[in-house]
Amino acid sequence: MSREDPMSTPIRFYSFPLSGHAHRVKLMLSLLALPHEVIDVDLPGGQHKQPPFLALNPRGQVPVIVDGDVVLYDSTAILVYLARRYGGDSWLPTDAVGAARVQQFLSLASGEIFEGPNRVRLVKLFKRELDYALARDKTLALLTLLEAHLDGRSFLAADHATIADIACYSYIAHVQEGGVALAPYAHVRSWLARVEALPGFVAMPTSPHALAA
C-alpha cells in the first residue's frame, strides 16, 4: 500500500548506520517502498543528547521518524505504525491470534534480542562495559529457541513475512559481530536468507571492525 498522498513530504528517518534498532525501520521503509529522507545522527559526538534531538525523542535514542505531524520513536512502535498505516494486514495481522503471535516476537526483540545479540555486539564492536558472558549465554539460549521454533516454519509468526521477522532480523543477522557463530543454527540461517530475499530488502552495513566467527 502506498502513502495516502504520494506527493507529500518524505518521511524523515533519524538513524545511525550501525544500529540494529534503526536498521529495523530502514528495512521496513524499503520493503514498503516509502519515500524517506535518512538523517544520520552523530551518536559518538553526542548529538542524540542535545536539545534539538531530545525534542523529537526525550529518551535520546535512534530511531525516530517524522511523518507529517506524527513523531514516533522506539523501533518496534515505528514498525507497528508503518505496517498498520501503509502495509495492509499482511505485515501486521488484524485477527486476535495473528496479532498476538506477532506481539510475542516484538516482545522477544525488546527482551532477549536486546539483552543477548545486541549486547554481545555492543561489547565487541563498541567496547561497552557490559557483562559479555551473560549476554553470550542469553544469545545462545535465544538461538536455540529460534532454531527449534523455525523447524518446519518459513517465518516467525505466520506463513509469510510480518513485522515480527523485521523486528528480530537485524541483530541476529549480525550476531557474529558479537563473537557468536551462526553455523550451528541451520534453520535460523535459512530464515535469515528468506528475509534477505524479500523484495526491497536492504542490508545493515557490516562494521569494518567486526570479528569473524
Side-chain angles (χ1 to χ4, degrees):
M1 182 181 296
S2 62
R3 298 188 72 190
E4 295 166 342
D5 179 3
M7 299 303 292
S8 63
T9 303
I11 295 171
R12 281 185 286 151
F13 167 44
Y14 292 82
S15 179
F16 181 71
L18 296 179
S19 165
H21 286 73
H23 180 255
R24 294 168 180 167
V25 175
K26 174 67 175 177
L27 178 54
M28 195 68 195
L29 288 166
S30 183
L31 292 171
L32 294 175
L34 293 173
H36 59 280
E37 173 192 4
V38 179
I39 303 166
D40 285 330
V41 179
D42 181 8
L43 299 190
Q47 186 182 3
H48 57 307
K49 301 300 183 182
Q50 299 304 311
F53 188 81
L54 292 173
L56 298 173
N57 180 2
R59 296 171 68 187
Q61 301 169 340
V62 294
V64 175
I65 65 165
V66 179
D67 186 15
D69 59 357
V70 175
V71 180
L72 285 174
Y73 57 84
D74 183 87
S75 60
T76 54
I78 294 170
L79 292 182
V80 169
Y81 170 80
L82 293 175
R84 181 58 69 235
R85 184 164 186 182
Y86 300 117
D89 293 346
S90 63
W91 288 105
L92 180 56
T94 56
D95 67 286
V97 174
R101 286 178 175 157
V102 167
Q103 181 58 53
Q104 286 178 325
F105 288 96
L106 298 185
S107 297
L108 193 80
S110 298
E112 287 93 328
I113 289 175
F114 178 82
E115 295 169 358
N118 166 58
R119 287 184 173 172
V120 294
R121 189 168 169 270
L122 285 175
V123 172
K124 292 294 187 181
L125 290 188
F126 302 105
K127 310 305 178 187
R128 292 282 297 275
E129 294 183 1
L130 299 168
D131 187 336
Y132 179 78
L134 177 60
R136 188 176 188 277
D137 286 347
K138 289 188 174 186
T139 298
L140 295 175
L142 169 72
L143 291 172
T144 299
L145 181 152
L146 290 178
E147 181 72 5
H149 177 76
L150 286 163
D151 185 2
R153 292 183 173 91
S154 295
F155 295 98
L156 292 176
D159 59 2
H160 58 273
T162 67
I163 60 170
D165 302 283
I166 308 311
C168 293
Y169 169 83
S170 304
Y171 285 114
I172 294 173
H174 284 255
V175 74
Q176 294 183 135
E177 296 181 348
V180 177
L182 282 171
Y185 306 99
H187 297 311
V188 171
R189 289 187 283 107
S190 294
W191 164 70
L192 293 173
R194 284 188 285 274
V195 174
E196 291 159 5
L198 294 172
F201 173 82
V202 289
M204 182 168 74
T206 299
S207 168
H209 305 295
L211 298 178

